Amino acid sequence: MRMSVWRESWNQGYLCVTGENDRLTVTLVPHRGGKIVSLFDKLSGKEWIHRTDRPWDPLEGTADWGKGDQGGWDEMFPTITPSACPDEGWKHLSFPDHGEVWNRPWRHVLEGEQLQLEIDGVDYPYTLRKTISLGDNVLKFRYELENRAETAFSYLWAAHPLLRVKPGMKLNVSPAEGEIQLTYSHRGRLGSQHDYARYPIAQAKDGAAVDLSTLEMASGGHAEKYYFTKPLAEGYAGIGDPASGEGLVFRFDPNDVPYLAVWAHYGAFGDYTFAIEPATGYLDSVQEAFNRGKVKRVAGYGKAHWQLEVEVEAKALPDGGAR
């Protein structure tokens, strides 16, 4: 395993923390929600994180995600869309758009080859912690959620990595075929919210077949967000470039992180990006996930743990899917 080193620097008035080994460089901004703003593969020269030219203006704790710079990799917790807390004794609480940890400062400390970050809930007494380290060609995350209340806490966590991609890249998931549920389809191309479709070949409202496993051109101006309806048998999702052989693979334990969402943004609102979003709940609202019985809960005074690994690859399979 290659040794990694961490260093601090400043950008746009914010302290940035960068970890580096012989293969990878990762940069985070602890006081902007612990956002990852760069994941660079030295071997291929590929930057994997989508960035915009929007300035890093100060963020309010209740700001909608669209008020931010709309780039990078955020943490969404304890909801994605605005939602009330579903738990008895706490139903008076409301969680804002994209949750309450993506736009607030995280405490951080460097310990050897690890970066440790944590943040407390605004009104609910929880602490969310993440530890980040670098392997050879792998970025590793370990999460811990501590519930300091006596009652159980329902939560929805999802990764929100906006990736720097290009048309023709291939999405590779397991299973490779199945049902999806929409939470958004720009101009209703595939249907309205909560409609169902098939993966990888969905039928648009105009009758056209849409291959969801192949990234589309920006000129189409499309955008979709969808969930795979069944919990994953394998905690795996990857994206690969058939032309260059570059790939990025997300690995997680499906017992801890059972659901997978995809945000495909092909120029509908100006940007071109794609997000693979492992999630602990289904769908975007923690209240709805609770109502469906598809939410994670941590017991009173208890702790929950989950992990995520992101592997950078330099070659793809013959069909273009990175494994």
Side-chain angles (χ1 to χ4, degrees):
M1 178 180 296
R2 296 179 170 97
M3 297 291 291
S4 57
V5 295
W6 293 85
R7 64 180 185 275
E8 296 180 341
S9 61
W10 291 86
N11 187 358
Q12 299 189 48
Y14 285 90
L15 178 69
C16 299
V17 183
T18 298
E20 183 174 11
N21 64 14
D22 290 345
R23 175 68 183 272
L24 299 177
T25 301
V26 61
T27 299
L28 301 92
V29 190
H31 281 201
R32 289 184 68 82
K35 178 195 293 284
I36 296 174
V37 295
S38 177
L39 177 58
F40 183 73
D41 181 2
K42 296 179 180 180
L43 180 62
S44 66
K46 168 69 176 176
E47 171 61 64
W48 279 103
I49 300 299
H50 170 69
R51 288 276 298 274
T52 73
D53 58 4
R54 299 176 181 91
W56 292 358
D57 292 335
L59 296 170
E60 297 180 2
T62 58
D64 287 348
W65 184 84
K67 299 295 185 181
D69 59 89
Q70 300 179 35
W73 178 340
D74 299 305
E75 305 285 350
M76 297 189 290
F77 181 92
T79 190
I80 300 174
T81 56
S83 173
C85 179
D87 300 312
E88 290 296 332
W90 299 93
K91 293 184 178 181
H92 61 286
L93 296 184
S94 294
F95 301 126
D97 178 55
H98 280 56
E100 57 182 29
V101 304
W102 71 271
N103 56 358
R104 297 169 49 234
W106 291 56
R107 300 181 293 275
H108 75 283
V109 62
L110 293 171
E111 289 197 0
E113 294 187 66
Q114 296 182 339
L115 172 63
Q116 298 181 357
L117 303 101
E118 67 176 24
I119 188 170
D120 299 324
V122 175
D123 294 309
Y124 193 100
Y126 69 76
T127 299
L128 179 63
R129 303 181 178 94
K130 64 179 177 181
T131 300
I132 301 176
S133 60
L134 290 168
D136 185 0
N137 61 331
V138 181
L139 180 62
K140 301 179 181 181
F141 302 83
R142 297 200 315 272
Y143 293 88
E144 178 182 89
L145 171 62
E146 180 181 1
N147 180 10
R148 302 194 308 278
E150 64 180 0
T151 54
F153 177 50
S154 302
Y155 65 93
L156 195 166
W157 168 86
H160 190 230
L162 296 180
L163 301 177
R164 187 176 178 183
V165 293
K166 60 184 180 181
M169 283 185 165
K170 300 287 290 185
L171 175 64
N172 189 357
V173 296
S174 178
E177 298 180 355
E179 187 179 60
I180 58 172
Q181 183 170 359
L182 299 169
T183 62
Y184 180 78
S185 183
H186 191 55
R187 301 191 181 97
R189 177 173 72 144
L190 300 183
S192 59
Q193 187 179 24
H194 297 342
D195 278 351
Y196 293 89
R198 297 294 299 174
Y199 180 89
I201 307 299
Q203 185 173 357
K205 291 300 184 181
D206 63 4
V210 179
D211 182 0
L212 298 175
S213 69
T214 301
L215 274 60
E216 301 177 50
M217 301 288 291
S219 57
H222 302 302
E224 267 88 30
K225 169 75 182 285
Y226 56 86
Y227 279 78
F228 291 86
T229 58
K230 294 182 179 179
L232 302 178
E234 298 179 42
Y236 167 86
I239 191 166
D241 185 348
S244 68
E246 299 160 345
L248 199 66
V249 176
F250 293 71
R251 303 185 193 276
F252 42 93
D253 187 336
N255 293 311
D256 300 326
V257 184
Y259 300 103
L260 179 67
V262 169
W263 167 237
H265 184 190
Y266 304 132
F269 305 102
D271 290 333
Y272 184 87
T273 186
F274 191 90
I276 293 172
E277 301 184 355
T280 60
Y282 177 102
L283 300 160
D284 285 353
S285 159
V286 68
Q287 178 71 70
E288 183 171 0
F290 178 89
N291 294 343
R292 290 170 176 260
K294 297 183 177 181
V295 72
K296 288 291 186 180
R297 307 191 80 203
V298 57
Y301 302 123
K303 294 182 179 180
H305 300 87
W306 63 96
Q307 298 185 41
L308 173 66
E309 291 191 355
V310 182
E311 181 179 351
V312 174
E313 296 191 332
K315 80 177 178 179
L317 299 175
D319 67 356
R323 287 193 184 274

